[in-house]
Amino acid sequence: LSPQHRGQSSSDRASSEDGDEVPSSPGEPRSSVGDVLGLLASLEPLLALTHALALERGSTTGWVASCGTKLAQAAATRRAVTDAALAAAPGDHANLAALLSRCRTSADRDVAAASKGSTSAAEEGAAFVATMGGYNALAYQALAVLSELPACAAATAVSEFAALKETFAQIRGYVTGALLLRDAALAAVHGQVKGSLVIAFHRRRAYARSIRHQTPRRLLRLIGAGLELPAGLAQVVQ
């Protein structure tokens, strides 16, 4: 953080009262809206990669759940977008690229087998759950970089919002799969899907609560709607 945040003048305190700063621990520099936005800008390539991975997961898991009858073009398009985002992200992402390749190969194999009619309902359900699990691991690996940021309130706000967004993507992925799996396949993995949804819902609630505490009020007014579940997903919770 910039030196001026290490000690608060009367104007700094007034700014804090107006909601421009993120609460922090005693003795820790406070973070302003500018700190949060500046950090977001520096992390844009990484956040673009996590967004691309989330979209690829959504289309790919739907493709697998439908046994290849839905979202084939979307899955192919999202792969190209993810590849571009991965190439643009700074740093060495060889491990991430290898894991991504395995996820894609597994999805291709599952769809090929299902399209031949050689899979059982249990195998189709298991393929969907495995695809979700593989892409979830990918997302967590990409987001792990955020945990390595220097400890400050701005980093906490950014990393927790990214994690919140990831839980939303997981919820959508599981719901999409539940809609596209045939009834017998869904019945075979109902417990796993429901359990994963419950965990994601609880994580979303915890992240939203923390973000409301950590984020400057001015910024919170801009992103507050993003902390709430859309109406359709709220019905799933009920």
Side-chain angles (χ1 to χ4, degrees):
L1 297 180
S2 55
Q4 62 265 32
H5 288 104
R6 299 189 179 278
Q8 280 192 305
S9 65
S10 59
S11 60
D12 290 326
R13 288 190 293 272
S15 176
S16 178
E17 291 168 1
D18 288 339
D20 288 345
E21 298 186 348
V22 181
S24 55
S25 301
E28 186 180 281
R30 297 170 79 82
S31 291
S32 67
V33 172
D35 291 323
V36 177
L37 296 181
L39 189 58
L40 277 173
S42 68
L43 293 172
E44 172 58 28
L46 175 62
L47 296 176
L49 173 58
T50 61
H51 183 65
L53 285 169
L55 293 176
E56 179 175 333
R57 172 180 49 203
S59 57
T60 301
T61 53
W63 181 50
V64 170
S66 69
C67 297
T69 62
K70 306 284 186 183
L71 300 174
Q73 185 56 52
T77 299
R78 290 304 175 189
R79 288 185 181 188
V81 173
T82 301
D83 289 341
L86 186 61
D92 181 5
H93 297 291
N95 290 337
L96 190 67
L99 182 56
L100 176 60
S101 178
R102 288 197 293 272
C103 286
R104 291 173 174 177
T105 298
S106 179
D108 292 347
R109 183 176 60 248
D110 290 335
V111 169
S115 63
K116 295 176 182 177
S118 58
T119 54
S120 66
E123 288 171 331
E124 291 168 16
F128 164 70
V129 170
T131 302
M132 278 293 301
Y135 275 96
N136 290 350
L138 266 172
Y140 287 133
Q141 184 169 323
L143 289 172
V145 176
L146 298 178
S147 66
E148 300 170 3
L149 294 171
C152 67
T156 299
V158 169
S159 62
E160 290 194 345
F161 194 82
L164 174 73
K165 185 177 178 183
E166 167 60 15
T167 63
F168 271 116
Q170 288 186 18
I171 291 168
R172 290 191 177 96
Y174 283 114
V175 171
T176 298
L179 292 171
L180 291 176
L181 283 168
R182 59 191 178 109
D183 290 346
L186 178 58
V189 293
H190 178 266
Q192 291 171 273
V193 172
K194 183 178 179 180
S196 297
L197 274 171
V198 169
I199 291 171
F201 283 134
H202 281 288
R203 283 178 176 168
R204 183 210 67 81
R205 186 179 301 164
Y207 285 130
R209 185 183 302 117
S210 180
I211 289 167
R212 288 190 178 96
H213 173 72
Q214 294 283 346
T215 305
R217 285 188 290 276
R218 179 187 296 179
L219 188 57
L220 191 58
R221 285 194 292 269
L222 297 177
I223 67 171
L227 305 182
E228 304 299 332
L229 280 173
L233 292 182
Q235 290 177 1
V236 174
V237 176
Q238 295 173 355

